[in-house]
Amino acid sequence: MKRIHRFQRPPRILSAAAAGGKEERRGPHGEEFDFCSPNDLFGVQTWEMAEGEMARASLSFALKKAGIRAEEISLLFAGDLQNQCVASSEGLCSVGAPFVGVFGACSTMAEGLALASLAISGSSQVSLAAVLTSSHNCAAERQFRTPLEYGSQRTPTAQWTATAAGSVLLTGEENPKKTGWGPGGRCPQISEVVFGKMVNGGITDAANMGAAMAPSAADTLLTYFRESGRTPADFELILTGDLGKEGSALLSLLMAREGFYLQEKHVDCGMLLYDPEKQDVHCGASGCGCIASLLSCHFLPRMARGELHNILAVGTGALMNPSLIQQGGSITGIAHLVHLEVR
Amino acid sequence: MKRIHRFQRPPRILSAAAAGGKEERRGPHGEEFDFCSPNDLFGVQTWEMAEGEMARASLSFALKKAGIRAEEISLLFAGDLQNQCVASSEGLCSVGAPFVGVFGACSTMAEGLALASLAISGSSQVSLAAVLTSSHNCAAERQFRTPLEYGSQRTPTAQWTATAAGSVLLTGEENPKKTGWGPGGRCPQISEVVFGKMVNGGITDAANMGAAMAPSAADTLLTYFRESGRTPADFELILTGDLGKEGSALLSLLMAREGFYLQEKHVDCGMLLYDPEKQDVHCGASGCGCIASLLSCHFLPRMARGELHNILAVGTGALMNPSLIQQGGSITGIAHLVHLEVR
């Protein structure tokens, strides 16, 4: 069975934007974010609702940059890490767009981009799709591990859930009139997608997401390389979501064992969002918002400016459920792949 | 903006199956279920894992009836009510299919059918899509409200979360060779879909899901009738997911106010699953598994046998999050519509 979905008329990305918190502003890409909240609260009272506000802010910026109104969105794909994906429903209800809730943990941005691409190809009604995801450090930590106020010590393999959101707008038009890329900016296209299979490597440690996700990232990348006949050398970058230091090392090993050497082509967003010298985040960043924000404020703009032309973006998710972990279960990983090109 | 997605080559439903628990077996449609667990545990130790087993069982039966192997699934759409949709990931990891996690609370089956239809239309690679969702009374009650052992008294508007799962298999082939409908059985097709908008009617009572969902069901149905120019009289049935007694009455009122009289055309799965005389479930059934199981074991088979030809199925979801309710928030509803026909 063929696993790569290749688009005859690839959807175009016409705008993107990112919002973040105060740690994200302090990071190496802080200045590229469209908006950062100085206290992570985005003007509301709780971390959970703050994430919703941040999600909506990122969408508003993506729309504004392209001069598009929210009413023009044909389908809005969104999901997040909170139980029942409530940041998306709370934050986006007032947008008033037809809503498709998705859940792929930290693979949600890649899953949403892949689904939106299929939807644009499958229905002439989908003229504008928006894909959005978010995570909030304070909301996620108290839900998945312990409330920050508890002051629990973090283990060496722990990652720091990003307070960040990213929004991407897609269209089926080959040359969209309105874009958010500025004069001369070129719209990146989604040429191919691969939906990942779930892989469970038996990891039971909620503070080692990297190891839980690495096998699924390897599975999806191997599927893509073998079916397409391509190798890492054919791409400028192979971007992963939030494997962090531990998970990235494991991915390299798993790929090398099968004869694919990622080497310097591999860049993990979890290792880019914070400065390891100045920000004590152990194994790096994690969370849906990690790859979503860096794609939106860094990689897609670089493609639009012509600095990058051909990359693979692999969203990696740990489908971790606290009840199941308490019952002795392990963490299942999943990774979806999106092939981005500027031609 | 047009909201109805109409398919040039409508996807066909080639098989479906349902699994349930002991209360579901006692209900009016109990004998139609493919499998029911006499103790709701499906051979495992916890309610959460039991839901995963039930989900996989329903998929296995749908595949078996059509003589199809799990390896033939091109895309598996699934989601459930548990946090991080863990019943789906836990239950379906071993199926080994490319996995698309969706979350629409109890609208998940309709959302999945709609997405799978777009995917089949959008990629020639999707030869077989599976859509699956589940809910488990004991897992859901302790997550959303209180553990059953607490013995909390149920209010008059409360509904009973169904212990049930339904799986549906779809293909883009016009005349699939292998089906689960038996000799002479005709494959129902998905002619049109509408993705709903989120609607928040301000309901803050976690024991009144019907009222939280009714406004979104009305919004989606009104959108469909106005855009298509059709009326309730054009359909044999207008099926809703799990509005229950309270929500169904509200839907009728909301529709009548706009000049659309549902009357006896409206059938709510929440009011069919249990016998109100013998089973004390207050306002009826709820949960993802409610419409999923009754579609799979009752309505789709009736269509395949030629007893029904033209129905609307509206999955209704309450995107309810306990943390948000505790913080004074209200419950957002969503409803997705699928137009099913046999020709």
Side-chain angles (χ1 to χ4, degrees):
Chain A
M1 191 175 64
K2 290 254 164 62
R3 292 278 303 280
I4 301 174
H5 304 268
R6 208 166 268 142
F7 300 107
Q8 296 268 313
R9 295 171 47 240
R12 301 295 201 273
I13 295 177
L14 53 82
S15 188
K22 67 171 191 294
E23 280 300 318
E24 291 66 30
R25 172 66 87 192
R26 286 180 60 217
H29 296 280
E31 293 301 317
E32 294 175 317
F33 275 74
D34 295 272
F35 176 74
C36 285
S37 168
N39 62 0
D40 294 356
L41 270 170
F42 294 83
V44 293
Q45 298 293 315
T46 70
W47 304 125
E48 285 75 14
M49 288 172 71
E51 185 176 337
E53 290 297 310
M54 175 174 65
R56 187 168 62 237
S58 73
L59 180 62
S60 299
F61 277 96
L63 289 165
K64 197 179 165 190
K65 286 199 262 185
I68 292 173
R69 288 170 304 120
E71 297 77 46
E72 297 176 56
I73 299 173
S74 342
L75 279 184
L76 171 55
F77 295 83
D80 57 87
L81 290 180
Q82 286 191 43
N83 293 340
Q84 294 81 47
C85 300
V86 74
S88 304
S89 50
E90 177 69 11
L92 305 174
C93 183
S94 65
V95 173
F99 181 74
V100 186
V102 290
F103 180 71
C106 305
S107 74
T108 301
M109 178 47 86
E111 180 187 336
L113 291 173
L115 274 180
S117 302
L118 284 182
I120 285 171
S121 301
S123 169
S124 55
Q125 236 57 283
V126 188
S127 53
L128 182 74
V131 182
L132 194 168
T133 184
S134 62
S135 53
H136 195 298
N137 181 272
C138 312
E141 288 306 314
R142 74 171 162 195
Q143 178 185 279
F144 286 109
R145 296 172 194 92
T146 53
L148 297 182
E149 294 84 346
Y150 180 71
S152 177
Q153 195 162 4
R154 303 174 68 241
T155 62
T157 56
Q159 294 173 245
W160 184 275
T161 309
T163 300
S167 286
V168 173
L169 304 182
L170 296 102
T171 177
E173 289 175 51
E174 211 167 322
N175 292 301
K177 278 184 210 114
K178 297 190 275 189
T179 85
W181 305 123
R186 285 181 289 176
C187 291
Q189 70 177 40
I190 296 181
S191 305
E192 301 172 310
V193 304
V194 176
F195 289 93
K197 293 183 178 184
M198 294 188 279
V199 182
N200 191 313
I203 301 291
T204 55
D205 178 3
N208 194 353
M209 297 285 110
M213 297 187 286
S216 58
D219 187 70
T220 299
L221 277 168
L222 289 169
T223 298
Y224 178 78
F225 287 136
R226 285 172 177 155
E227 191 177 317
S228 67
R230 300 197 183 108
T231 69
D234 294 318
F235 301 92
E236 292 163 328
L237 280 181
I238 296 161
L239 206 63
T240 52
D242 53 347
L243 295 174
K245 219 157 95 179
E246 177 87 354
S248 293
L250 286 170
L251 175 64
S252 284
L253 279 173
L254 291 168
M255 295 297 290
R257 216 163 60 177
E258 303 292 325
F260 292 91
Y261 300 93
L262 300 180
Q263 295 173 315
E264 77 288 354
K265 291 289 170 86
H266 177 221
V267 171
D268 181 64
C269 293
M271 288 165 76
L272 292 181
L273 195 61
Y274 305 115
D275 181 338
E277 299 292 313
K278 296 185 197 149
Q279 296 172 289
D280 180 21
V281 294
H282 293 24
C283 263
S286 68
C288 293
C290 183
I291 189 171
S293 62
L294 286 182
L295 262 184
S296 299
C297 77
H298 181 71
F299 291 104
L300 290 172
R302 284 189 65 191
M303 296 190 84
R305 291 196 298 268
E307 297 167 21
L308 285 170
H309 311 83
N310 187 22
I311 73 174
L312 295 179
V314 183
T316 45
L319 305 168
M320 204 265 279
N321 172 275
S323 303
L324 204 78
I325 298 286
Q326 287 155 10
Q327 291 168 8
S330 52
I331 304 165
T332 297
I334 193 159
H336 304 292
L337 177 149
V338 175
H339 179 197
L340 295 161
E341 285 185 289
V342 165
R343 285 191 170 167
Chain B
M1 191 175 66
K2 291 255 164 65
R3 292 278 301 282
I4 302 175
H5 303 268
R6 209 166 269 139
F7 300 107
Q8 295 268 314
R9 294 174 46 239
R12 301 295 200 274
I13 296 176
L14 55 82
S15 188
K22 69 173 190 294
E23 280 300 318
E24 293 64 32
R25 173 65 87 192
R26 286 181 59 216
H29 296 280
E31 292 301 316
E32 295 176 315
F33 276 73
D34 295 273
F35 176 74
C36 286
S37 167
N39 62 359
D40 293 357
L41 271 172
F42 294 83
V44 293
Q45 298 293 317
T46 71
W47 305 124
E48 286 75 14
M49 288 172 72
E51 185 176 338
E53 290 298 308
M54 174 174 65
R56 187 170 61 237
S58 74
L59 181 62
S60 299
F61 277 96
L63 289 165
K64 196 179 165 189
K65 285 199 263 186
I68 293 173
R69 288 169 304 122
E71 297 77 46
E72 297 177 55
I73 299 173
S74 342
L75 278 183
L76 172 55
F77 296 82
D80 57 86
L81 291 180
Q82 285 191 44
N83 293 339
Q84 294 82 47
C85 300
V86 74
S88 304
S89 50
E90 177 69 10
L92 305 173
C93 182
S94 65
V95 174
F99 180 75
V100 186
V102 292
F103 180 72
C106 305
S107 74
T108 300
M109 178 47 85
E111 180 188 337
L113 290 173
L115 275 180
S117 302
L118 284 182
I120 285 171
S121 301
S123 170
S124 55
Q125 235 58 283
V126 189
S127 54
L128 182 75
V131 182
L132 194 168
T133 184
S134 62
S135 53
H136 195 297
N137 182 273
C138 312
E141 289 305 315
R142 74 172 163 195
Q143 177 184 282
F144 287 110
R145 297 171 194 94
T146 53
L148 297 181
E149 294 83 347
Y150 180 71
S152 177
Q153 195 162 4
R154 303 175 68 239
T155 63
T157 57
Q159 293 173 245
W160 185 275
T161 308
T163 299
S167 287
V168 173
L169 304 182
L170 296 102
T171 177
E173 288 174 51
E174 212 167 320
N175 292 302
K177 275 181 216 120
K178 297 190 275 190
T179 85
W181 305 124
R186 287 180 287 176
C187 291
Q189 69 177 44
I190 296 182
S191 305
E192 302 171 310
V193 304
V194 176
F195 289 94
K197 293 183 177 184
M198 292 187 280
V199 181
N200 190 314
I203 301 292
T204 56
D205 178 2
N208 194 352
M209 296 284 111
M213 297 187 286
S216 57
D219 187 70
T220 299
L221 277 168
L222 289 169
T223 298
Y224 178 78
F225 288 136
R226 284 171 178 155
E227 191 178 316
S228 66
R230 301 199 182 108
T231 68
D234 294 318
F235 300 92
E236 291 163 327
L237 279 182
I238 296 162
L239 206 61
T240 52
D242 52 348
L243 295 173
K245 218 157 98 179
E246 176 88 354
S248 293
L250 286 170
L251 174 65
S252 283
L253 279 173
L254 291 168
M255 294 297 291
R257 218 163 61 178
E258 303 292 324
F260 291 91
Y261 300 93
L262 300 180
Q263 296 173 314
E264 77 288 354
K265 291 290 169 88
H266 177 220
V267 171
D268 182 63
C269 293
M271 288 164 76
L272 293 183
L273 196 60
Y274 305 114
D275 182 338
E277 299 293 312
K278 295 185 200 150
Q279 295 172 290
D280 180 22
V281 294
H282 294 25
C283 262
S286 68
C288 293
C290 182
I291 189 172
S293 62
L294 285 182
L295 261 183
S296 300
C297 77
H298 180 71
F299 291 103
L300 291 172
R302 284 188 65 191
M303 296 188 84
R305 292 195 297 267
E307 297 167 21
L308 285 170
H309 311 82
N310 187 23
I311 74 173
L312 295 179
V314 183
T316 46
L319 305 167
M320 203 264 278
N321 172 275
S323 303
L324 204 79
I325 299 286
Q326 286 153 10
Q327 292 168 7
S330 53
I331 304 164
T332 298
I334 193 158
H336 304 291
L337 177 148
V338 175
H339 179 195
L340 294 161
E341 286 183 291
V342 165
R343 285 190 171 167

